[in-house]
Amino acid sequence: MPSRIALSLVGLTLACSAGRPNPSDPKVRQEVVAAMDHYTALIKLVASDSIAAMYTEDGELLEAGMAPLVGPKAIREFLAQFDGKVVVDSASTASDDVEVFGTTAYQWGSFSQVARVQDQPPAKFGGRYVARWRRTPEGQWKLTRLLMQPAPSAQ
């Protein structure tokens, strides 16, 4: 009898996990890295509409010194103020780790950016980030929370 219960539990566990991304699957982790690479490419283009569309309806953008921006509309409104005023000369992210749990992924890494406001000299930015992603039923990874933590400026 106990072995039948154990087999039932194993069967139930396998049934519940069917169709879910495997945390150890490098292909799934690479999908998350590719989503961040796409996000970074949009930053370089200063594409506020497209950047905002990468967030879930309750997605949050968290940046130092600012109140959280919640939802694509708030994120789009914030980013739109830079359209046509800021030029991003370079933007890059490097993913240090990705952990996937079903349809949720956590990603840690670093970012760097060189940007300028119209005719001003370029400024360098960089630091660390942590992102929480959710896989949509259509298979797209969307941001539910992105925290950008700038590195302290060199003195």
Side-chain angles (χ1 to χ4, degrees):
M1 184 82 151
S3 63
R4 191 177 338 171
I5 293 171
L7 283 175
S8 296
L9 289 174
V10 168
L12 181 61
T13 302
L14 290 173
C16 289
S17 64
R20 296 172 73 188
N22 181 343
S24 62
D25 184 350
K27 180 182 177 280
V28 175
R29 289 194 313 268
Q30 186 53 42
E31 289 173 0
V32 174
V33 171
M36 180 56 81
D37 289 346
H38 180 65
Y39 184 89
T40 304
L42 294 173
I43 293 290
K44 189 170 185 317
L45 296 173
V46 194
S48 57
D49 289 339
S50 297
I51 293 166
M54 290 198 66
Y55 286 83
T56 61
E57 284 305 311
D58 59 346
E60 296 177 294
L61 174 58
L62 308 168
E63 297 223 15
M66 290 179 25
L69 299 168
V70 181
K73 181 180 179 200
I75 293 166
R76 183 181 308 104
E77 287 173 359
F78 170 74
L79 295 174
Q81 68 183 315
F82 302 110
D83 289 348
K85 297 176 185 159
V86 172
V87 175
V88 178
D89 294 321
S90 67
S92 64
T93 53
S95 181
D96 296 333
D97 194 20
V98 176
E99 294 179 352
V100 181
F101 302 94
T103 58
T104 301
Y106 297 89
Q107 180 182 32
W108 294 265
S110 57
F111 70 93
S112 63
Q113 188 179 97
V114 177
R116 56 193 158 86
V117 177
Q118 295 171 343
D119 296 329
Q120 300 295 314
K124 294 181 182 182
F125 305 93
R128 307 280 306 151
Y129 73 87
V130 61
R132 183 176 66 196
W133 297 88
R134 182 181 309 139
R135 186 182 209 131
T136 66
E138 301 78 33
Q140 181 182 19
W141 288 99
K142 288 199 165 210
L143 285 159
T144 60
R145 182 172 290 152
L146 176 61
L147 170 65
M148 307 294 284
Q149 181 63 47
S153 299
Q155 298 291 327

